[in-house]
Amino acid sequence: MNDRMNQKEHFRAAVYPTPFHERTSALNTLNVWHRWKDYTVSDAYYNVALEYAAIRNACAVFDITPMTKHRITGPDALAFLDRLMTRDVSKIKPGRVGYTVWCDDNGRVIDDGTIFHLKPGDYRLCSQERQLEWLDRSAFGFDVKLVEETHDVACLAFQGPTSCAVLKAIGCAGVENLKPFDIGYWPFHGGELMVSRTGFTGDLGYELWIDNSRAVPLWDALFDKGAIHGIRPMGTHALEIARIEAGFIQAHVDFLPADQAIHLDRSRSPFELDLGRLVDFKKPNFNGRRALLEEQQRGSRYRFVRLEIAGNKVARAAYIYNKERKGEVIGTVTTAAWSPSAKTNIALASLHMPWGRPGDELWADIYYQRELQWFRVNVPCKVIEGAFFDPPRRRATPAADF
């Protein structure tokens, strides 16, 4: 832990600045912040629409330092993770990253996240929620060492078509050859900069990992070399639009973590979040395997879908019906936005089975307020397969400069 968190009086501070705060606070002309796992991060810097435009047309920087990071090492690190995760962790080779979910014994998702295989037997698990207590309880019988290193590692999401060009300009020679989910290392200011080709925007982009003492120099180098490439800071609101366009889910928004649900039927399984590809029944043992196998044979309760909705009224928290009039409620929108790139109204939704098949006739019941008066519209919507926005540059290797 860094010096701030080691201080005995640290509990007197309700919210901490990230290692980039000196720079992010100077750029946050709107002074709009929110608390993320005891850190303060920007929701918007100057204009959400322009911050979003930077993600899709140039490059944008988001401070992801508060993302929870767990370091897992030891002789049984692979066996331990493979026991917890629904996917086959042995397929995540050193120098690679894998997206994953983990479940309780009922086969309900506790959280999703990414496993970074830093070197043989050395893993970093990143997640929305803090998992150290659950990891520690699950480690009985395994020879592993568990450390939460959230406060020790500064990190940035660096996303957008010109991000690769900027990284090359600050000294990351050959970064264009990183494939999606690859990890690379470069010297930086007497230390080491780790770069992973990962992100939450569905675009060409990277995540940058460095020790706290080199956080500000990294920010300065990016904005110095990135000036001619249109670099901008981005806040949570702009990132949210991009992640919905990519069809990515978020804990506490699109699903409720199973270990926090009071009503157990409110949680979801991987199949019910369209994440069945992350469940590998070839593994003989993992948390929730028996329940998931029974669900596969019995059928799921819900289907998670991506919807294109008619009109321009954002379908936030809208009910989904199976008929225009006098129909039944068959589900709920979990998150929604107007997509500037897809030029349409989009949403992610959880529907009762068997609804949500391509071709199903669905209707969204949307309430919205204008000048203190509420209005209601009932508009058709259709199921979209895949992401709403999925540019080829997202996967192209070598990455282009643009």
Side-chain angles (χ1 to χ4, degrees):
M1 298 176 71
N2 61 22
D3 291 341
R4 294 193 314 277
M5 303 302 289
N6 275 333
Q7 295 171 1
K8 290 183 178 179
E9 300 295 312
H10 77 277
F11 67 90
R12 298 189 188 281
V15 183
Y16 286 88
T18 78
F20 300 103
H21 191 74
E22 183 180 349
R23 294 293 183 265
T24 58
S25 58
L27 291 168
N28 193 337
T29 58
L30 298 178
N31 196 24
V32 180
W33 304 87
H34 83 279
R35 177 173 174 159
W36 178 11
K37 298 302 177 191
D38 297 334
Y39 281 104
T40 182
V41 293
S42 177
D43 279 334
Y45 284 89
Y46 57 101
N47 182 298
V48 173
L50 295 179
E51 292 167 34
Y52 166 84
I55 300 172
R56 297 300 188 214
N57 299 286
C59 57
V61 181
F62 182 78
D63 184 357
I64 56 172
T65 301
M67 180 169 56
T68 307
K69 314 172 196 72
H70 311 88
R71 194 67 168 264
I72 301 161
T73 57
D76 293 341
L78 172 59
F80 171 66
L81 285 170
D82 213 36
R83 178 68 175 77
L84 300 185
M85 304 298 162
T86 58
R87 66 173 291 169
D88 185 349
V89 179
S90 69
K91 293 182 178 178
I92 307 173
K93 302 300 181 185
R96 294 282 292 167
V97 184
Y99 177 55
T100 189
V101 294
W102 49 101
C103 297
D104 63 8
D105 290 343
N106 298 315
R108 305 294 173 81
V109 174
I110 294 175
D111 206 352
D112 66 337
T114 44
I115 296 175
F116 289 69
H117 196 169
L118 304 176
K119 56 186 178 182
D122 187 350
Y123 297 87
R124 175 180 293 156
L125 173 64
C126 295
S127 61
Q128 166 78 15
E129 300 299 303
R130 292 197 173 100
Q131 302 291 342
L132 187 61
E133 181 183 356
W134 178 74
L135 291 171
D136 190 55
R137 282 188 281 113
S138 303
F140 182 78
F142 291 96
D143 186 1
V144 293
K145 180 180 179 182
L146 307 173
V147 176
E148 181 175 334
E149 56 179 14
T150 303
H151 310 299
D152 302 324
V153 183
C155 43
L156 297 171
F158 187 39
Q159 305 284 299
T162 63
S163 56
C164 182
V166 177
L167 288 178
K168 287 193 289 185
I170 70 168
C172 299
V175 70
E176 68 274 16
N177 295 319
L178 286 184
K179 297 188 292 293
F181 296 101
D182 269 356
I183 300 171
Y185 300 88
W186 283 268
F188 184 84
H189 274 242
E192 185 178 68
L193 171 65
M194 188 179 95
V195 179
S196 57
R197 189 169 169 180
T198 49
F200 207 43
T201 65
D203 213 312
L204 169 62
Y206 303 86
E207 290 174 328
L208 316 179
W209 313 77
I210 201 162
D211 65 87
N212 292 338
S213 65
R214 295 175 177 84
V216 170
L218 173 61
W219 183 282
D220 290 345
L222 291 172
F223 278 77
D224 177 36
K225 299 298 183 183
I228 63 170
H229 296 281
I231 192 170
R232 294 288 186 276
M234 65 164 162
T236 309
H237 296 333
L239 178 66
E240 177 72 355
I241 299 171
R243 79 102 183 160
I244 298 171
E245 289 181 332
F248 295 152
I249 62 171
Q250 183 178 345
H252 287 292
V253 177
D254 301 296
F255 71 95
L256 179 63
D259 59 343
Q260 299 178 38
I262 296 175
H263 303 282
L264 297 182
D265 61 329
R266 307 285 170 81
S267 55
R268 298 289 188 268
S269 75
F271 299 119
E272 294 169 340
L273 292 172
D274 193 27
L275 297 175
R277 66 185 186 281
L278 299 179
V279 179
D280 189 345
F281 286 122
K282 294 177 183 175
K283 294 199 306 179
N285 295 296
F286 61 86
N287 277 19
R289 186 181 188 278
R290 179 181 298 175
L292 291 172
L293 195 58
E294 290 174 358
E295 179 184 335
Q296 187 188 53
Q297 296 167 349
R298 179 185 65 246
S300 300
R301 303 166 300 159
Y302 299 96
R303 193 197 309 272
F304 195 79
V305 297
R306 296 155 185 85
L307 297 176
E308 183 178 301
I309 298 175
N312 61 3
K313 301 298 183 293
V314 176
R316 199 167 288 116
Y319 279 127
I320 303 298
Y321 285 79
N322 58 354
K323 293 180 181 178
E324 181 179 10
R325 300 182 188 279
K326 297 182 180 180
E328 298 177 358
V329 174
I330 57 165
T332 309
V333 167
T334 57
T335 190
W338 172 263
S339 167
S341 293
K343 301 290 188 294
T344 190
N345 204 8
I346 63 175
L348 309 180
S350 181
L351 306 184
H352 293 282
M353 293 294 273
W355 299 101
R357 298 157 296 198
D360 277 352
E361 181 180 354
L362 305 174
W363 294 81
D365 200 35
I366 305 171
Y367 288 81
Y368 65 98
Q369 190 187 59
R370 290 288 184 274
E371 298 181 330
L372 298 181
Q373 183 167 331
W374 281 96
F375 299 87
R376 175 190 178 191
V377 295
N378 191 244
V379 295
C381 47
K382 64 179 180 181
V383 175
I384 300 297
E385 296 184 81
F388 298 103
F389 181 71
D390 189 17
R393 63 179 181 246
R394 175 185 177 186
R395 300 178 183 82
T397 307
D401 286 345
F402 296 97

